[in-house]
Amino acid sequence: MRKVAVVGAGVSKFGVRKASYRDLIWEAGKACFDATPAVKPKDVEGLVVGSVLPERTAFQSHISSMAAEALGIRPSALSARTEHMCASGTVGIRYAYAFIAAGLADLVMVLGVEKLNQPSGDEAILNMGTGVDREWEAAFGLTAPPCFALAAQRHIAAYGTTEEQLAMVGVKNHTHASKNPTAHFQKGATLDQVLCSRMISTPLRLFMCSPITDGAAAVLVASEDRARDLTDRPVWIRGTGQALDGFQLTSLHEDYAHWPALERAGRAAYRMAGVTAGDVDVAEVHDCFAIAELIAYEELGFCRKGEAGPFVAHGRSDYGGEVVVNPRGGLIGCGHPLGATGVAQAAEVFAQLRGEAGARQVPDAAVGLTHNNSGMGEHVVMIYGREDR
Amino acid sequence: MPYFRATDPFPLESADHTKLHEFYARLAAGRLATTRCVGCRRLAWPPRGFCGECGSDRFDWTDLSGEGTIHAFTVQEAGLPAGFDGPRVFAIVKIDGLRVFSILVGAEPSKVAIGQPVRVSPLRVADDPNGNARWLPAFCPA
């Protein structure tokens, strides 16, 4: 297989946006092309768009063609939409990777976009119910928060994890987001603010949850030869893994704090990249809820099972610790426009590994990881590496 | 044209819409049932029309006891979908060796506990677009 690299990235402002679905595509596309002056839209051979809910929120399907036309891209090798709920963006990057590695394309844009705050707030949440089983779960009003609350309840009972430790994920990620101008939230948060925020689903409080957010992000992915023509600092895709345990809650491991599929996805990605958890300098993990970040530390091997609470409390996942987790602000701080999230994570790792992350820069970051879940039993992991590692 | 909501959050349960309609017919009569694969005799939850273990699409219906215990639960207070009220007790119920996802109705949320005995309590929801009654397999304290 051929080597594949990310050569450019751009992110729209995330938030409750006064912008249409197409406005968001334009914004992320412009940001990506502006940051990659060697590439014009006509040079791009393929487009993959990660997007989950446009049929409901924008009354639009046929997304890849619509986005290609909006950006002036005329695909000659690949045009597709990926929908894998909250992992849609990263699943799109994997498709671009596979096409390029196989020699079927040389330069592909992966764009993630979601306009969630439409048509109304409670309908936006109703729409999110399409991500769980409509007949056996969503019909009861189930969306993501109660699912992850079950994991949090179990982690507390099994390992003595505290509400304060869950809250510290919220504090860290809101604080990181305050240094990211594209993040939904800009003000940071104190431990008291997180612990006093509104209860969503016991024991998860508002500031331990990602919000309903609009946003888009884009990356340009290229073959080795093309990448070296376009930039002197490509960021290589070195490993990838994906694994599923199940879709419905009752198909998952009986211990909801144990996510074997994440351990398997991580192991596959590490093996392919030839690295271990200890080599990862910066990680963008899927903190849709604080408990998801804690379990990700464990299943990805940053700490042992059950030790994630103390790991975050002692700053070991922050600047100065073993691995900086979610310097972008995570889903809790940036918001979670489903299809855009994985692409925005890749854009952050791209900036970090090129030393271009400004106030958020992780010193000398050489190996980066991104992780998405699309439910507690479904995980995808990517490993990125700098030129010299 | 004024704005209208075009979402039906409930399953279409009649024989015109699903091969699992027997589940809903029995539920309307107060019985909790599921499928047993004719090929490998595996009991499924939820009911299924194709066995992912042996590949058979032949199944029998079996009534479950209707009584179980709470394996895990959470109380959602805010952020519920349009048309659904909180606080809402979501629970995983252990019943006849199966794990069943549902809601607990008729319970004081602060008094719910892991291990608590519960029984099936069919919940009538909005009729389907043809006016047929629809039921969901909810639970209540035993």
Side-chain angles (χ1 to χ4, degrees):
Chain A
M1 291 203 300
R2 305 195 300 173
K3 285 177 71 177
V4 179
V6 180
V7 297
V11 179
S12 83
K13 174 76 178 101
F14 280 22
V16 180
R17 293 292 312 277
K18 292 176 178 168
S20 73
Y21 189 75
R22 191 174 353 237
D23 290 343
L24 296 168
I25 292 169
W26 280 329
E27 201 175 315
K30 176 166 172 52
C32 186
F33 284 120
D34 282 357
T36 322
V39 176
K40 299 292 175 235
K42 65 177 169 52
D43 304 325
V44 178
E45 297 174 312
L47 177 66
V48 181
V49 181
S51 198
V52 178
L53 289 167
E55 284 84 355
R56 276 293 292 160
T57 60
F59 209 68
Q60 179 75 61
S61 54
H62 208 171
I63 297 306
S64 184
S65 303
M66 178 269 214
E69 189 157 284
L71 294 176
I73 294 169
R74 291 179 183 82
S76 55
L78 170 62
S79 176
R81 168 182 171 193
T82 52
E83 191 283 295
H84 205 288
M85 201 54 196
C86 309
S88 300
T90 300
V91 169
I93 293 173
R94 295 180 98 235
Y95 280 18
Y97 170 83
F99 259 71
I100 295 167
L104 297 172
D106 284 305
L107 182 61
V108 174
M109 175 175 275
V110 182
L111 185 141
V113 55
E114 217 72 56
K115 173 67 190 174
L116 286 184
N117 285 284
Q118 204 156 277
S120 69
D122 60 349
E123 274 194 75
I125 295 171
L126 185 69
N127 294 338
M128 300 287 276
T130 61
V132 296
D133 193 288
R134 179 255 178 102
E135 184 167 18
W136 301 104
E137 298 179 331
F140 292 105
L142 183 70
T143 54
C147 301
F148 289 85
L150 295 178
Q153 299 272 18
R154 175 64 189 161
H155 211 275
I156 289 168
Y159 306 115
T161 302
T162 65
E163 274 194 70
E164 285 74 14
Q165 289 164 344
L166 284 167
M168 288 181 87
V169 175
V171 172
K172 173 176 72 69
N173 293 351
H174 274 280
T175 303
H176 290 177
S178 71
K179 292 183 283 183
N180 178 0
T182 66
H184 187 144
F185 296 121
Q186 300 285 324
K187 294 179 180 170
T190 65
L191 189 61
D192 277 351
Q193 281 178 308
V194 179
L195 286 170
C196 294
S197 63
R198 185 178 188 188
M199 182 61 76
I200 299 299
S201 195
T202 57
L204 299 174
R205 294 179 181 275
L206 183 65
F207 279 29
M208 303 173 189
C209 304
S210 53
I212 303 283
T213 298
D214 310 325
V219 293
L220 285 161
V221 186
S223 61
E224 179 171 12
D225 287 352
R226 198 82 172 87
R228 293 197 191 284
D229 287 344
L230 294 171
T231 177
D232 56 0
R233 282 173 301 153
V235 169
W236 302 99
I237 298 177
R238 293 187 47 187
T240 176
Q242 183 174 25
L244 279 76
D245 280 333
F247 170 56
Q248 295 171 356
L249 275 174
T250 52
S251 308
L252 308 185
H253 195 284
E254 188 169 288
D255 175 355
Y256 289 106
H258 179 41
W259 297 357
L262 176 49
E263 193 277 331
R264 296 199 306 278
R267 183 154 32 93
Y270 289 142
R271 188 192 305 120
M272 182 173 167
V275 301
T276 65
D279 296 320
V280 177
D281 301 303
V282 55
E284 285 283 323
V285 310
H286 198 96
D287 60 324
C288 48
F289 302 92
I291 186 61
E293 178 166 325
L294 292 185
I295 294 175
Y297 298 165
E298 297 169 352
E299 303 293 355
L300 289 169
F302 298 156
C303 67
R304 283 195 297 234
K305 193 73 211 167
E307 295 182 356
F311 193 79
V312 69
H314 295 147
R316 293 170 65 186
S317 53
D318 208 342
Y319 293 88
E322 281 103 309
V323 53
V324 181
V325 178
N326 288 331
R328 184 179 69 104
L331 285 60
I332 288 175
C334 290
H336 181 26
L338 314 175
T341 285
V343 184
Q345 291 174 323
E348 178 70 11
V349 167
F350 178 73
Q352 291 284 353
L353 268 49
R354 285 162 59 100
E356 294 173 343
R360 304 189 306 280
Q361 183 64 47
V362 175
D364 198 33
V367 176
L369 177 152
T370 71
H371 157 241
N372 289 138
N373 75 56
S374 39
M376 296 190 288
E378 311 175 35
H379 300 273
V380 56
V381 175
M382 305 288 292
I383 307 283
Y384 296 88
R386 205 166 67 184
E387 185 74 65
D388 56 355
R389 286 276 285 274
Chain B
M1 185 172 72
Y3 174 72
F4 72 99
R5 182 183 291 167
T7 302
D8 175 10
F10 303 116
L12 293 167
E13 302 179 348
S14 78
D16 290 342
H17 292 104
T18 172
K19 70 193 286 188
L20 301 179
H21 61 91
E22 175 70 15
F23 172 82
Y24 296 105
R26 292 193 189 201
L27 186 65
R31 295 152 64 191
L32 184 70
T34 194
T35 52
R36 185 184 290 282
C37 174
V38 168
C40 68
R41 305 307 296 162
R42 196 181 187 86
L43 197 64
W45 183 267
R48 51 189 303 158
F50 172 79
C51 179
E53 297 296 321
C54 77
S56 170
D57 65 353
R58 296 176 60 221
F59 54 86
D60 295 326
W61 287 97
T62 303
D63 280 336
L64 300 173
S65 70
E67 297 194 0
T69 55
I70 291 183
H71 170 71
F73 74 97
T74 180
V75 182
Q76 187 168 12
E77 298 183 4
L80 283 138
F84 293 86
D85 296 327
R88 202 167 187 81
V89 183
F90 293 101
I92 305 289
V93 176
K94 275 249 178 112
I95 190 162
D96 296 349
L98 300 169
R99 265 183 297 157
V100 174
F101 170 77
S102 186
I103 54 169
L104 196 60
V105 297
E108 166 57 41
S110 65
K111 300 219 166 78
V112 179
I114 288 172
Q116 180 179 347
V118 295
R119 63 179 162 79
V120 71
S121 176
L123 177 69
R124 183 151 180 198
V125 295
D127 292 352
D128 80 9
N130 297 320
N132 299 308
R134 290 192 288 189
W135 301 84
L136 296 179
F139 284 78
C140 66

